[in-house]
Amino acid sequence: MYLKITMHRMILRVKQIMKILCLVLGLIRSHFLFAQISNPADIYGLSAWWCADSVQQESGTPVSFWNNLANTTESVSQPVADYSPTLVKEVVEVNNHAVLRFDGNDYLDGGDILDLFSKDWSWFVICINKKNNGYIISKCESGPTPGRYSLTTNSLVYQGRNNTAYTANYTYVAEKAMMVSWINNRNENKNILYIKGKKEVEKTIEGFFSMSNDIHFCVGYGSFAATNYYYNGSISEVIAYSKLLSNIERQSVENYLRSKYFPGTEREQFSLGGTIEQDYG
């Protein structure tokens, strides 16, 4: 009888311990799989960070200066009001956050900044496209100047030493907030575009070459093949790291953006040698 009672107590104790272990493991799993940064600066290598929520002025007013929160000396500006984007607050498509609205004639100029040089880069953009063929960010003007790049509404154009344009096309999405991630991997000579966290296209690029020139970096404008391309749409946030982010780091940044602009769509993060991407719908 005593042996039965003792065994019963041991079984209950083991069950209690197992429940506690399951709870602890669940908390650990949740922390690591859904871990996300609370600030882009939490990851080393942040070189550019523009956020519409940081603009301290009234909604509906032209924005003449957009501060680079990572490096204020490399901010973008527009002294002419007619060419300045408009700050719009409480935009439903981005979870009531602010956007800078570009009407197809607006742009912000940063001067000769953000050359890619020979580094890896990781870029993230939250935008709402109104019209196709616009340049969201670019360091690209017409002419035979190497070292140009631009992220447009439907492509990534990357021009190396031999003036060959390595163009990676992706599906244009209109009237819907979207997250675009661009990974520039110089070690493996490729550009990778993720749309809404899902790999959309991978493009082989020229090998070692220092991507630099004196072209101005612009938000909302770029030119190529003697044609000017102005952006028609809205931008909430632009983040850039001058390094190759790991899969976990990239997904952490994407989860930061998901929780902010698309709450409830945060995704588990994996690093199992390959890459697993998940759409936010």
Side-chain angles (χ1 to χ4, degrees), residues 25-62:
L25 289 173
L27 290 173
I28 293 174
R29 180 178 182 274
S30 176
H31 172 75
F32 282 101
L33 292 183
F34 292 94
Q36 66 187 50
I37 58 174
S38 59
N39 184 313
D42 291 345
I43 295 178
Y44 175 77
L46 183 67
S47 292
W49 179 20
W50 289 282
C51 178
D53 284 335
S54 71
V55 180
Q56 300 298 308
Q57 58 187 66
E58 294 297 319
S59 183
T61 58

Side-chain angles (χ1 to χ4, degrees), residues 10-253:
M10 289 179 62
I11 292 172
L12 289 177
R13 179 62 60 87
V14 169
K15 287 183 176 179
Q16 290 173 345
I17 293 173
M18 291 299 293
K19 286 182 179 179
I20 294 172
L21 286 175
C22 286
L23 178 61
V24 171
L25 289 173
L27 290 173
I28 293 174
R29 180 178 182 274
S30 176
H31 172 75
F32 282 101
L33 292 183
F34 292 94
Q36 66 187 50
I37 58 174
S38 59
N39 184 313
D42 291 345
I43 295 178
Y44 175 77
L46 183 67
S47 292
W49 179 20
W50 289 282
C51 178
D53 284 335
S54 71
V55 180
Q56 300 298 308
Q57 58 187 66
E58 294 297 319
S59 183
T61 58
V63 176
S64 61
F65 181 84
W66 202 7
N67 185 34
N68 180 350
L69 300 173
N71 182 357
T72 189
T73 64
E74 295 191 344
S75 299
V76 290
S77 62
Q78 176 54 261
V80 182
D82 288 345
Y83 299 147
S84 298
T86 302
L87 178 67
V88 182
K89 296 183 178 181
E90 298 181 356
V91 177
V92 174
E93 291 87 343
V94 287
N95 192 34
N96 292 316
H97 285 281
V99 302
L100 263 62
R101 176 74 177 93
F102 295 78
D103 65 4
N105 193 48
D106 305 328
Y107 69 97
L108 296 167
D109 191 328
D112 184 11
I113 63 172
L114 295 175
D115 283 305
L116 302 185
F117 294 109
S118 302
K119 300 178 181 178
D120 301 308
W121 283 78
S122 304
W123 292 77
F124 303 85
V125 176
I126 297 291
C127 60
I128 307 172
N129 301 324
K130 296 291 183 181
K131 189 176 180 180
N132 204 357
N133 295 326
Y135 278 40
I136 302 171
I137 59 169
S138 84
K139 200 172 193 295
C140 184
E141 289 184 352
S142 294
T145 305
R148 297 180 289 182
Y149 64 89
S150 60
L151 180 65
T152 82
T153 55
N154 63 0
S155 68
L156 169 65
V157 180
Y158 183 93
Q159 189 159 351
R161 170 174 40 205
N162 59 9
N163 284 328
T164 298
Y166 300 90
T167 303
N169 296 311
Y170 67 93
T171 304
Y172 168 70
V173 178
E175 306 292 340
K176 183 179 180 181
M178 62 186 297
M179 176 173 65
V180 181
S181 309
W182 165 29
I183 303 300
N184 176 226
N185 187 334
R186 300 299 297 277
N187 185 52
E188 297 183 9
N189 298 332
K190 61 185 179 182
N191 281 321
I192 305 174
L193 281 173
Y194 298 86
I195 307 301
K196 301 188 298 183
K198 183 177 181 181
K199 184 188 286 186
E200 177 87 3
V201 62
E202 181 176 312
K203 182 75 173 182
T204 299
I205 59 176
E206 183 181 2
F208 179 81
F209 171 63
S210 183
M211 294 278 289
S212 63
N213 55 51
D214 58 1
I215 296 172
H216 286 201
F217 173 87
C218 292
V219 178
Y221 164 79
S223 106
F224 192 78
T227 302
N228 294 331
Y229 296 93
Y230 291 89
Y231 181 60
N232 193 329
S234 302
I235 301 174
S236 282
E237 200 152 343
V238 178
I239 301 170
Y241 295 89
S242 55
K243 74 167 192 172
L244 178 66
L245 297 190
S246 67
N247 288 334
I248 290 295
E249 288 175 321
R250 173 181 60 81
Q251 292 163 351
S252 293
V253 177

